[in-house]
Amino acid sequence: MSGLIGKRIANYQVEREIGRGDRSLVYLAKDLRLDRVVALKLLAPELARDDTFRKRFAYESRVAASIDHPHILPIFEAGETDGVLYIAMQYVPGLDLRALLDRDGPLPVPTALRIAAQVASALDAAHAHDLVHRGVKPSNILVAEGTDGDRPEHVYLTDFGLTKRSLSLTGFTTVGQFVGTLDYIAPEQISGRPVDGRSDQYSLACVVYEALAGRPPFQRDDDMALTWAHLYEPPPALSLARPEIEPGVDAVMAKALAKSPEDRYASDQEFVAKLRFFASSGYGAPAPSRPSAASRPTPPSPDAGTPPGPPFDDDDDEW
């Protein structure tokens, strides 16, 4: 796919490269029909030769394009031309969360929680349509400039992976395969068990952890050890990496990162609401000399008590 600058792909004039993945390139392109700028994603040629993948690509593109939500990146068109699979999306100037973390390191707590709230809103909207992203990770979270000082970021979730329904289509997956990135993948995806929106919640919790701690909850030297950690090991307390974070947040993160989906929150927005409440409530405020993890009192349960008024303002999800 080299040498495409200035070339025409379907109805799009390729202008410059703006991103790349393991098996795809993303270009800034001009829609020649509507005279607008788009992000044009081109998939590796070998994928177009895989009949199973081509069917999956067509199906997933249709269902992703059907979701209308302010924090889900709009898809304009998807198709195939001259053996190349492409997808045209809204162009969003700015960085993805991966680039932002690589540039700036761990985020301030309010910033991380604002981003998490918008991603949670997008995921819950998708789950309401019985769609599961299955690939939530920092590089799939675009962070654009917001509208004002109270909303300095506008976040878009992109690159929806396999949907829950698509897994039931004959030939789309085989036993033992999973879709996702290992740093953020839920235990049930690894083990080949059924997935639902709570699998995305686990991935979102991994992303939030990295946004605040500067690293994912599990880091190992090889994929086998990392897989084992997701399946069996408890996540380290986030408050150990960020001493200014209240220990009550540790219980919230532990629940969202539970090994069993049944032990997680009912929705992504509930998860972020609990994070916001405990991060700002002063529960478990650290003393000047912070006790060790072994001697620290058990933080309040993330389900204990009800804050006075809603901990999550739905208006934050709409601009």
Side-chain angles (χ1 to χ4, degrees):
M1 291 190 290
S2 60
L4 292 178
I5 306 301
K7 303 292 185 181
R8 178 170 175 170
I9 303 293
N11 295 298
Y12 304 94
Q13 189 82 26
V14 176
E15 296 186 352
R16 61 181 172 89
E17 183 181 325
I18 56 175
R20 62 172 56 211
D22 292 338
R23 308 180 81 178
S24 65
L25 289 172
V26 182
Y27 292 95
L28 186 72
K30 183 178 181 180
D31 185 334
L32 299 175
R33 295 165 301 180
L34 299 178
D35 193 25
R36 63 180 174 185
V37 173
V38 302
L40 185 67
K41 183 171 187 175
L42 306 181
L43 304 186
E46 61 267 22
L47 296 178
R49 295 192 290 268
D50 184 326
D51 287 341
T52 298
F53 182 88
R54 290 169 64 234
K55 293 177 183 177
R56 188 166 65 193
F57 172 79
Y59 178 82
E60 292 167 7
S61 298
R62 287 196 301 271
V63 295
S66 70
I67 308 172
D68 183 15
H69 189 274
H71 299 301
I72 294 177
L73 189 69
I75 293 175
F76 300 140
E77 183 185 13
E80 180 181 359
T81 181
D82 297 328
V84 175
L85 294 171
Y86 68 90
I87 182 167
M89 303 166 286
Q90 178 178 322
Y91 170 64
V92 176
L95 299 176
D96 61 44
L97 184 58
R98 172 77 279 139
L100 189 64
L101 293 175
D102 290 344
R103 187 191 70 181
D104 298 341
L107 302 179
V109 174
T111 302
L113 293 183
R114 286 194 303 268
I115 291 173
Q118 295 175 58
V119 177
S121 174
L123 287 171
D124 283 350
H127 300 158
H129 289 80
D130 201 24
L131 305 177
V132 182
H133 189 288
R134 296 177 61 91
V136 178
K137 56 184 178 179
S139 60
N140 285 338
I141 298 170
L142 305 182
V143 184
E145 185 176 351
T147 56
D148 52 48
D150 294 330
R151 299 180 176 90
E153 310 89 13
H154 188 103
V155 172
Y156 294 92
L157 182 62
T158 186
D159 274 8
F160 270 74
L162 289 177
T163 67
K164 181 179 177 182
R165 288 183 180 138
S166 74
L167 293 177
S168 66
L169 299 180
T170 303
F172 278 20
T173 59
T174 59
V175 175
Q177 289 183 328
F178 61 84
V179 176
T181 300
L182 203 52
D183 281 334
Y184 315 97
I185 195 166
E188 60 271 21
Q189 286 177 265
I190 294 174
S191 59
R193 288 177 285 152
V195 301
D196 58 22
R198 295 168 296 183
S199 303
D200 286 340
Q201 182 183 134
Y202 183 97
S203 300
L204 175 59
C206 290
V207 171
V208 172
Y209 191 104
E210 181 175 3
L212 290 170
R215 56 177 175 79
F218 301 108
Q219 287 186 309
R220 300 295 185 270
D221 292 335
D222 58 67
D223 287 350
M224 185 65 71
L226 182 54
T227 297
W228 178 271
H230 279 295
L231 288 171
Y232 301 112
E233 296 179 14
L238 180 60
S239 60
L240 296 179
R242 291 285 291 268
E244 74 273 23
I245 293 177
E246 306 297 349
V249 170
D250 293 335
V252 178
M253 294 298 298
K255 184 175 177 67
L257 291 170
K259 305 304 182 186
S260 172
E262 289 75 19
D263 294 331
R264 299 173 200 151
Y265 290 101
S267 72
D268 295 279
Q269 290 182 91
E270 182 185 1
F271 160 50
V272 176
K274 294 292 186 181
L275 277 182
R276 283 181 156 183
F277 173 58
F278 278 86
S280 61
S281 65
Y283 278 101
S289 178
R290 193 174 181 85
S292 66
S295 62
R296 186 184 305 155
T298 302
S301 165
D303 294 317
T306 302
F312 182 81
D313 184 357
D314 287 337
D315 289 341
D316 285 350
D317 295 328
E318 304 289 342
W319 303 126

